[in-house]
Amino acid sequence: MTLLSSEKPMRPAIPDPLDLPLYAETLPCAAESAADARRLVRKALDAWGLQVLEPSASLVVSELVGNSVEHYGRDLIRVKAVRLDEDRVQVAVIDRSPQGPTVPKQAELLDESGRGLFLVDALAADWGTDRMRWGKRVWANLTTDIEETDQ
């Protein structure tokens, strides 16, 4: 290939130090998006051979999407599944709300909601919130170690 004088040669891409395998999708901030988020997570886990995490990861991503819909409820959300290492995956939901999830309170017996973050806490090795300039990312890390000890 010959470069014209006005063209600049392309520089080689600099590898991202956090170049981790990931699947991501932008979805409407709506309850129906939980099904799409579960499909995304299932696809990622299948590709990585980590199907053992699918039941927990599907429930966790559904709860994170549900929280975003309930407490943010506008525009779009971004759902990510990131392979952190050979037996650890992070699922995350990103929205534009600056308000993070509150510390879960004990739901009453007849309450129809209020158990989501308890489930996330029980299923994830760890979870948290990263505040961003324009919103937040709520994430949960799942490992095959936890899955194997529960069975």
Side-chain angles (χ1 to χ4, degrees):
M1 174 177 171
T2 310
L3 292 176
L4 300 175
S5 60
S6 62
E7 293 180 330
K8 295 180 182 176
M10 292 182 61
R11 292 184 296 179
I14 299 169
D16 183 349
L18 298 177
D19 189 19
L20 300 170
L22 72 87
Y23 284 70
E25 190 170 347
T26 301
L27 301 169
C29 188
E32 300 79 30
S33 292
D36 292 327
R38 288 189 299 272
R39 276 191 286 280
L40 175 80
V41 167
R42 188 172 30 252
K43 181 178 179 179
L45 295 173
D46 285 347
W48 300 327
L50 293 170
Q51 295 89 339
V52 68
L53 292 174
E54 197 272 327
S56 295
S58 289
L59 182 55
V60 165
V61 78
S62 292
E63 293 299 336
L64 297 182
V65 168
N67 277 352
S68 189
V69 169
E70 183 175 339
H71 299 290
Y72 174 57
R74 297 187 305 261
D75 303 324
L76 303 171
I77 57 173
R78 184 88 170 149
V79 177
K80 287 186 172 187
V82 182
R83 186 169 189 182
L84 300 174
D85 57 40
E86 66 184 28
D87 66 347
R88 206 163 48 112
V89 172
Q90 182 178 91
V91 295
V93 174
I94 302 154
D95 65 35
R96 291 185 178 269
S97 172
Q99 183 176 350
T102 57
V103 176
K105 64 174 182 61
Q106 184 65 40
E108 298 297 322
L109 181 62
L110 298 177
D111 287 350
E112 293 184 13
S113 64
R115 293 171 182 83
L117 291 178
F118 278 111
L119 292 171
V120 171
D121 189 58
L123 295 170
D126 59 338
W127 69 277
T129 302
D130 297 331
R131 297 204 188 279
M132 298 185 210
R133 193 173 38 122
W134 47 265
K136 68 174 177 308
R137 172 183 28 244
V138 182
W139 53 268
N141 293 339
L142 299 129
T143 71
T144 57
D145 293 342
I146 288 177
E147 292 293 320
E148 291 167 3
T149 59
D150 288 346
Q151 294 178 1

